[in-house]
Amino acid sequence: MPLSVLILAAGKGTRMNSNYPKVLHNVGNIPMIYYSIDLAQKLNATNIGVVISEKAVEIRNFIKHLSKKIDLIVQSKQLGTGHAILSAKKFEKKAGDVIILYGDCPLISIDSLNNLIISRKKGADLAVLGFVADNPKQYGRMAVDENNNLKKIIEFKDATKDEIGIKLCNSGVMIANSKILFSLLNKIRNNNSAQEFYLTDIVYNANKEGLNVQYVNCSELEAQGVNNRKDLSEVENQFQVNKRLEALSNGVTLKDPSSTYFSYDTEIGKDTIIEPNVTFGTGVKIKNDVVVKSFSYLEGCEVNSNVTLGPFARIRPKTILDKGVKVGNFVEIKQSNLSQNVKVNHLAYIGDGKIGENSNIGAGTIFCNYDGYSKNEITISNDTFVGSNVSLVAPLEIGNNVVIGAGSTITNDIKNNELSIGRTRQINKKRKK
Ligand code: UD1
Ligand code: MG
């Protein structure tokens, strides 16, 4: 059956106390709305719509960059979650079911959404994802009857003392047939303390019309919504816990999981060992049998098998490290290719470079790739030895089997099999007494 997904992201996010829209705040180094869109794509939804506010230029740009197929729907005034869905009225005409996701709940799992779909298949006209919480905070409370049928969702602001005591909470995620959803929404009113059109009121209305309304359980951890900075830090924390468990179960050794930080897209192969205090920025792909030693920071790089990095290595975007490369302490590498078995073991900067197999870069070597106006490249061929404290001034081409003397400043190309020394000759003179 065709499936549509509508994601709500037009809210003001006032409780974040931010100059930026709430759903653009990062979780795992990507705006949190990414996770809802990713779920919709994993479900192979025929139509995906995101409801945004008129001024949300940055959200619009972010989503367009993700996919051109996503329908951006403007909610001109933020009059509540129900009103937000009504802004997407064109979805009423889409065949099949609609799943509603909130853009501020990034940890919802695909399994829970599949459970909702199953509940619909088993006969629910409307099914809502709920969870039991010891501390139900300001979540909507879900009232059920003696047969566990969902009767009503009461928003925190409107709950009586008894209702506040309910531990079953609304995650915000639900599923219904598109026609039924919009016919229920057409009847909601804003006679509540926030004077908003609550999406959650459709539960009561559906019961009044004799429809079959069910709830499906999920865990409190995955349903956590981000409404303020504290929530954001808790969700980030949980995201990291999930990523660490995923890495461990994929056969990665994390010596101190709690100090390993992942991005949404980090990929690490089997039998790789990550020492304590390592951070993976976005776009990191690591193969098998790699060792990343403590205090290393990696971004946008490809690390092939049997590479050793760190401690204190900084690997920046567009870097490729081939098999067996060794990068030691206090080494920064940017947009460079290091071929098999290259060694850069101490205190070096490699930028816009290509280094051939088995070459060795000495301690304190600097690729002077920027002349104040533009970046230039340095190519070093195979089996070349660069002595310590060498400045290589780009652009440069350095051949095979070259040796460069320590302390040199190299400004001219070097051919294969040459020895190059570029420094003033040492003079030793007798001292006057
Ligand atoms: C909402 C639910 C609550 C649930 C909780 C789960 C309602 C009325 N309440 O409360 O029952 O327990 O989520 O996290 O639905 N939005 C719009 N347009 C609007 C208002 C909101 O698009 O006019 C969007 C927001 O950007 C956000 C989502 O809807 O992504 C939820 O809005 P929010 O204000 O965070 O609702 P909660 O108070 O968290
Ligand atoms: Mg919320």
Side-chain angles (χ1 to χ4, degrees):
M1 192 198 285
L3 178 72
S4 301
V5 174
L6 270 174
I7 300 166
L8 299 193
K12 295 186 198 122
T14 323
R15 291 166 278 180
M16 289 296 281
N17 189 15
S18 172
N19 291 329
Y20 306 99
K22 171 166 70 175
V23 297
L24 283 191
H25 284 263
N26 280 0
V27 170
N29 289 325
I30 193 153
M32 65 177 96
I33 187 143
Y34 161 83
Y35 297 95
S36 306
I37 293 170
D38 187 49
L39 281 175
Q41 288 170 335
K42 282 185 178 137
L43 286 171
N44 285 324
T46 331
N47 313 289
I48 305 174
V50 182
V51 182
I52 58 174
S53 72
E54 224 152 25
K55 291 185 207 133
V57 185
E58 301 115 305
I59 305 184
R60 189 180 280 278
N61 290 343
F62 174 72
I63 293 172
K64 276 192 179 156
H65 175 76
L66 273 185
S67 162
K68 302 260 176 299
K69 288 190 197 143
I70 295 169
D71 205 344
L72 291 162
I73 299 140
V74 171
Q75 182 192 18
S76 43
K77 277 193 181 154
Q78 280 60 64
L79 300 178
T81 47
H83 180 264
I85 300 287
L86 279 169
S87 316
K89 207 159 173 24
K90 57 177 164 185
F91 274 64
E92 184 174 12
K93 301 218 165 59
K94 312 271 187 209
D97 285 355
V98 178
I99 288 186
I100 295 172
L101 299 174
Y102 290 176
D104 65 351
C105 294
L107 301 176
I108 297 285
S109 71
I110 191 85
D111 291 349
S112 293
L113 298 188
N114 283 325
N115 288 339
L116 271 185
I117 293 169
I118 291 169
S119 170
R120 266 282 292 143
K121 282 189 182 143
K122 283 186 180 161
D125 294 304
L126 170 64
V128 182
L129 194 64
F131 60 98
V132 176
D134 280 343
N135 170 12
K137 300 199 240 180
Q138 296 192 356
Y139 290 113
R141 308 301 206 255
M142 308 217 300
V144 293
D145 66 10
E146 57 287 355
N147 297 320
N148 240 358
N149 295 312
L150 180 59
K151 287 294 170 196
K152 192 176 171 189
I153 298 180
I154 312 109
E155 288 306 310
F156 175 79
K157 285 181 187 154
D158 305 297
T160 62
K161 227 175 154 197
D162 282 351
E163 288 164 341
I164 288 279
I166 298 176
K167 304 258 189 229
L168 186 61
C169 302
N170 171 31
S171 72
V173 181
M174 54 182 82
I175 187 170
N177 167 271
S178 57
K179 295 206 174 33
I180 292 180
L181 173 70
F182 281 91
S183 97
L184 290 168
L185 274 168
N186 283 329
K187 290 167 205 150
I188 59 170
R189 297 287 167 262
N190 65 345
N191 49 348
N192 50 56
S193 59
Q195 293 197 306
E196 283 186 5
F197 293 89
Y198 293 154
L199 168 64
T200 43
D201 281 354
I202 66 169
V203 169
Y204 180 78
N205 290 350
N207 275 294
K208 247 182 20 189
E209 293 184 14
L211 296 173
N212 178 355
V213 187
Q214 298 297 324
Y215 79 89
V216 170
N217 255 313
C218 71
S219 83
E220 180 182 357
L221 294 175
E222 70 174 277
Q224 172 143 19
V226 176
N227 293 316
N228 54 44
R229 302 276 178 161
K230 183 169 176 282
D231 294 337
L232 180 63
S233 70
E234 285 169 9
V235 164
E236 176 69 38
N237 203 26
Q238 188 55 42
F239 168 84
Q240 294 297 339
V241 168
N242 296 348
K243 283 303 255 188
R244 288 164 192 152
L245 290 172
E246 186 186 308
L248 293 168
S249 70
N250 286 344
V252 179
T253 296
L254 304 179
K255 291 222 168 156
D256 176 23
S258 68
S259 70
T260 311
Y261 289 88
F262 292 91
S263 287
Y264 73 103
D265 59 351
T266 311
E267 290 176 21
I268 308 185
K270 236 184 204 168
D271 295 315
T272 281
I273 299 172
I274 313 293
E275 290 189 357
N277 293 299
V278 170
T279 299
F280 299 108
T282 56
V284 175
K285 287 192 171 68
I286 298 184
K287 295 269 165 57
N288 296 355
D289 298 297
V290 169
V291 178
V292 184
K293 295 187 180 171
S294 288
F295 300 103
S296 294
Y297 195 108
L298 286 72
E299 296 166 87
C301 58
E302 189 183 314
V303 179
N304 287 290
S305 53
N306 297 99
V307 167
T308 304
L309 294 177
F312 295 97
R314 180 167 182 216
I315 312 298
R316 292 173 52 199
K318 298 190 180 159
T319 293
I320 301 173
L321 306 177
D322 278 354
K323 285 182 186 167
V325 163
K326 286 200 166 51
V327 175
N329 39 216
F330 305 108
V331 172
E332 175 181 347
I333 304 181
K334 185 218 97 173
Q335 197 166 340
S336 295
N337 284 15
L338 274 58
S339 303
Q340 287 196 29
N341 304 322
V342 164
K343 292 192 183 72
V344 192
N345 274 332
H346 334 263
L347 300 152
Y349 172 62
I350 312 288
D352 303 304
K354 284 196 180 74
I355 307 179
E357 287 175 17
N358 306 316
S359 287
N360 183 94
I361 308 296
T365 293
I366 303 294
F367 278 40
C368 309
N369 59 330
Y370 185 51
D371 57 14
Y373 298 96
S374 51
K375 301 275 167 68
N376 293 297
E377 288 184 9
I378 295 176
T379 306
I380 300 177
S381 251
N382 304 344
D383 305 303
T384 280
F385 182 90
V386 179
S388 294
N389 200 28
V390 168
S391 297
L392 298 170
V393 183
L396 275 181
E397 293 225 7
I398 299 172
N400 287 327
N401 196 32
V402 163
V403 173
I404 302 178
S408 295
T409 297
I410 302 296
T411 52
N412 296 320
D413 293 349
I414 308 173
K415 296 204 176 70
N416 295 345
N417 306 313
E418 286 184 341
L419 161 71
S420 178
I421 304 172
R423 62 180 192 228
T424 47
R425 186 181 287 275
Q426 181 175 332
I427 308 168
N428 294 354
K429 287 185 177 175
K430 211 63 187 162
R431 290 180 63 202
K432 284 181 191 155
K433 284 222 169 120

